[in-house]
Amino acid sequence: MKSFITSSGVALCGLVTSVLTAVGVVLVQNLTGFNLFTLSFWVVLPVGAFLVGFAAASGYFFGSLYFHKKPGLLLLLQMVLIAAFTQLLIYYMEYSTLILDDGTKASEYIAFGQYLDLSLTKAHYRIGRSAQHDMGEAGSFGYWMAFFQFIGFMLGGVSVYVFLSGRPICQACDKYFRPLGKKIKSFGSTDDLAAYYDVLYTHPVVSEPFSQMIRSEYKVKTEKGSFNLTETLHGCPQCKAQMIEHSVQVFNGQDWKDIDQLKRQVSMPETVNLVSVFKA
Ligand SMILES: [Zn+2]
């Protein structure tokens, strides 16, 4: 029963953000003529639908964290169903708000099914620089486009799902950890990073040298080969156990790359409370 309530709660959160996203897409389209949902690169790459899917699925993310619901098959199934519903909702709202040149509503003349068929098959897709090559009416290819957009929309949701799967969980209580504090340290070389990363846990976690290291500022100018260490203190909302998570990134001159091998999560012994260390 509890599981049913939390699943419904998460689905409801996803439904709310999906409907809001659909309303947003149609509103922007009616005000500016720009349709984010059908925005594609090289005709078939549904970038806009992916972004819309990501925004729509954000509700699942926050809902799952709030209700402590692990991502599972049920969540994926809900995502597919709600994504299909949202895409239809976008079409339906486009249909019901479409005003013809003479000021009358299109919905007074044609049924939704007819409208959908026309809008998909009569759509014109353009390719090339500044879209100068009109490919003509999409015809039955329009249905494929709608399908590609559905896939893009789903992938937006899946990326939220993957993001959720990476969130740390208290194994004992089966609850998502809550972040209690965060420190970001930067180091200029591998040696400097190692002097922190490899030494920290050689001190007992309740010792002054340990607290001292976490409290200390480590800051260098960002340049090629510099490292960022993100140090997050997590706490279980139920048993209050704490855990320190380390993630390391290296700057390659252009952007930051995660170093997965240096990612680590270290559980603190019971009753250890490091909140004040991280706040300082
Ligand atoms: Zn716990």
Side-chain angles (χ1 to χ4, degrees):
M1 187 63 196
K2 184 168 172 282
S3 162
F4 176 76
I5 292 172
T6 56
S7 306
S8 319
V10 173
L12 192 64
C13 292
L15 186 63
V16 168
T17 46
S18 295
V19 170
L20 287 177
T21 305
V23 171
V25 166
V26 176
L27 203 63
V28 167
Q29 191 192 353
N30 285 347
L31 291 176
T32 67
F34 172 70
N35 189 332
L36 178 63
F37 189 73
T38 57
L39 174 73
S40 307
F41 287 169
W42 304 297
V43 184
V44 291
L45 209 64
V47 178
F50 176 82
L51 293 175
V52 172
F54 191 77
S58 61
Y60 299 107
F61 182 73
F62 295 111
S64 297
L65 286 185
Y66 182 78
F67 290 107
H68 292 286
K69 186 78 190 158
K70 301 323 151 287
L73 206 59
L74 186 64
L75 182 68
L76 265 186
L77 193 70
Q78 287 170 347
M79 284 176 145
V80 177
L81 289 177
I82 293 180
F85 163 77
T86 308
Q87 189 164 356
L88 275 177
L89 185 66
I90 290 176
Y91 294 141
Y92 188 79
M93 285 194 298
E94 284 171 358
Y95 162 71
S96 60
T97 58
L98 180 64
I99 307 286
L100 300 176
D101 288 340
D102 62 1
T104 54
K105 281 180 134 183
S107 53
E108 287 175 20
Y109 298 99
I110 55 170
F112 176 56
Q114 268 177 303
Y115 160 83
L116 192 56
D117 186 57
L118 283 174
S119 81
L120 292 179
T121 56
K122 301 291 178 200
H124 287 230
Y125 290 95
R126 290 160 199 279
I127 53 168
R129 247 179 217 283
S130 66
Q132 74 273 47
H133 298 295
D134 189 335
M135 297 170 70
E137 285 180 4
S140 58
F141 182 65
Y143 279 97
W144 280 105
M145 286 301 299
F147 177 69
F148 292 149
Q149 284 153 13
F150 179 68
I151 298 295
F153 190 89
M154 282 303 305
L155 287 178
V158 167
S159 61
V160 168
Y161 183 92
V162 169
F163 204 42
L164 198 58
S165 310
R167 297 286 300 210
I169 285 169
C170 174
Q171 298 298 342
C173 311
D174 208 28
K175 300 261 177 197
Y176 285 107
F177 277 116
R178 301 283 186 240
L180 300 175
K182 185 182 267 188
K183 296 267 184 203
I184 295 174
K185 300 179 164 76
S186 56
F187 303 91
S189 68
T190 320
D191 286 347
D192 292 348
L193 173 68
Y196 183 88
Y197 188 92
D198 292 341
V199 172
L200 180 67
Y201 287 111
T202 62
H203 303 297
V205 296
V206 287
S207 68
E208 190 47 38
F210 182 85
S211 312
Q212 199 63 53
M213 281 185 80
I214 288 184
R215 281 201 188 100
S216 300
E217 285 257 346
Y218 293 83
K219 199 150 181 56
V220 296
K221 209 166 122 259
T222 297
E223 50 192 11
K224 195 174 173 182
S226 57
F227 295 91
N228 248 358
L229 171 71
T230 307
E231 207 164 30
T232 315
L233 178 68
H234 296 275
C236 171
Q238 189 164 319
C239 70
K240 307 295 174 204
Q242 295 186 351
M243 182 272 279
I244 296 177
E245 181 180 37
H246 278 167
S247 59
V248 181
Q249 294 177 304
V250 63
F251 193 67
N252 66 6
Q254 261 150 8
D255 39 25
W256 291 95
K257 294 272 175 223
D258 288 313
I259 308 179
D260 290 335
Q261 299 92 309
L262 294 180
K263 208 174 174 61
R264 64 179 173 189
Q265 299 181 345
V266 178
S267 302
M268 298 296 107
E270 256 181 86
T271 72
V272 168
N273 187 346
L274 295 172
V275 171
S276 60
V277 175
F278 271 79
K279 286 275 145 65

